[in-house]
Amino acid sequence: MATDDDRSALDLLDAHLERLWYAAQARARGQEEPLPTVPESLAGSAADGGSELLRWGLAGLARLRREPADGFVRGAGDLVMEFRRRRSPWNAAALRLFEDPHVFVATGPRRHEDWGRDVFALMHRQVPDPRGWLRIDADPGDHGAGLVRPAHPFAPPPAAEVVHRVHRLEPDAAVAALTVMAEEWMTEPRPVRDRPDLDALTADARTLLARYGPEARFWTNAVAAASDPAPDFLATGLGGHAAHPFLSVEYFKGLDLFDELGVIAVGADEVGVFWSIGAF
């Protein structure tokens, strides 16, 4: 089992690799972006033994070429994604399902009986993943309490109203909803139900939801679940259901947001938010 020191070092390396990737992208666009330096504590952790994954990540970082610019972007992106895959099976499943579609995936602590408050905190990026696992953010820009739109792309209702915008889902229906989130809005050439890897995608969705425990309960903003807790998401595909809105209607950062499908997982200790977002 990983120690607290191991986890802190892995969290620090993950954050550094992400900053490096963003800096590489900025440089490829012609911007004068300084490259972040490797925190000294990471080298110290590796010298003291550290975890095998930490040593692997630092070795990959040392081999990463900064030129040409487009190769730097690809190399930094490949390194951070492979690091995250290796960190946990949960991360790997999330990336297989959601690496390409426009989604927001985040888990936070369950701190309130009224779990709408925990969902509200996640949509405002106020809490980290309790296990240090992956967050996939549809809007990865800097966020904070001082910003005008810390919740973008969401414009969530007040915390007390969250539970009134969602409906209960049976566990298998929650799995199906996550599975269809592997599709793309509007441009999907092949729905999930027709893909040869459907069983593998479904297995990944089950892996993601299993972390919330056998007694977890699931909710969705899909209107169809108001009358049926097991709507057939696979048959209708990603765009087959109307949904109660959680997204912003503002044109911001060059994107119009036009549709959504969300699933909320509520466990005894953790709350997860999975949201597929139609954007152009």
Side-chain angles (χ1 to χ4, degrees), residues 252-271:
F252 182 57
K253 293 191 174 182
L255 288 176
D256 276 322
L257 310 178
F258 64 85
D259 219 334
E260 60 187 287
L261 174 64
V263 171
I264 296 168
V266 181
D269 302 312
E270 296 180 323
V271 171

Side-chain angles (χ1 to χ4, degrees), residues 9-265:
L10 293 173
D11 287 347
L12 189 59
L13 180 55
D14 186 288
H16 174 73
L17 292 175
E18 185 174 83
R19 287 194 297 270
L20 184 67
W21 187 24
Y22 290 158
Q25 294 174 57
R27 287 189 164 202
R29 294 191 297 266
Q31 300 173 11
E32 294 292 333
E33 182 72 21
L35 297 180
T37 57
V38 179
E40 292 183 6
S41 59
L42 283 179
S45 296
D48 291 339
S51 68
E52 181 180 350
L53 180 57
L54 178 65
R55 296 194 300 273
W56 177 89
L58 289 172
L61 185 59
R63 293 192 299 268
L64 188 61
R65 295 188 177 187
R66 272 56 175 176
E67 297 292 342
D70 58 344
F72 184 22
V73 172
R74 287 194 302 273
D78 289 346
L79 180 59
V80 69
M81 290 305 172
E82 183 59 23
F83 173 80
R84 288 170 174 172
R85 288 186 186 95
R86 291 179 179 223
R87 188 161 185 186
S88 77
W90 195 93
N91 284 4
L95 286 171
R96 283 190 295 266
L97 270 175
F98 303 135
E99 188 169 2
D100 292 328
H102 197 73
V103 297
F104 178 88
V105 175
T107 298
R110 171 86 184 272
R111 292 175 172 165
H112 306 95
E113 182 66 25
D114 173 14
W115 47 263
R117 297 167 66 182
D118 299 310
V119 171
F120 187 86
L122 278 170
M123 289 183 169
H124 282 79
R125 301 171 174 86
Q126 294 173 347
V127 291
D129 188 293
R131 309 186 199 194
W133 291 353
L134 181 66
R135 172 172 294 190
I136 302 178
D137 199 332
D139 182 27
D142 291 333
H143 297 276
L147 297 183
V148 176
R149 302 174 181 86
H152 191 82
F154 298 104
E161 297 298 318
V162 169
V163 296
H164 301 300
R165 296 237 192 136
V166 292
H167 308 289
R168 279 287 307 278
L169 271 185
E170 294 292 341
D172 284 347
V175 169
L178 260 63
T179 303
V180 300
M181 289 182 191
E183 296 179 8
E184 297 276 4
W185 291 91
M186 293 180 65
T187 59
E188 181 57 52
R190 191 175 192 184
V192 161
R193 63 181 177 273
D194 295 332
R195 295 186 191 176
D197 60 345
L198 172 60
D199 289 345
L201 294 172
T202 300
D204 284 336
R206 291 190 187 281
T207 294
L208 296 183
L209 295 183
R211 81 173 279 182
Y212 305 100
E215 303 302 320
R217 301 173 80 181
F218 305 102
W219 307 79
T220 181
N221 67 332
V223 173
S227 58
D228 179 6
D232 195 342
F233 290 105
L234 288 176
T236 56
L238 184 60
H241 295 279
H244 298 298
F246 277 75
L247 296 180
S248 171
V249 297
E250 290 184 90
Y251 180 78
F252 182 57
K253 293 191 174 182
L255 288 176
D256 276 322
L257 310 178
F258 64 85
D259 219 334
E260 60 187 287
L261 174 64
V263 171
I264 296 168

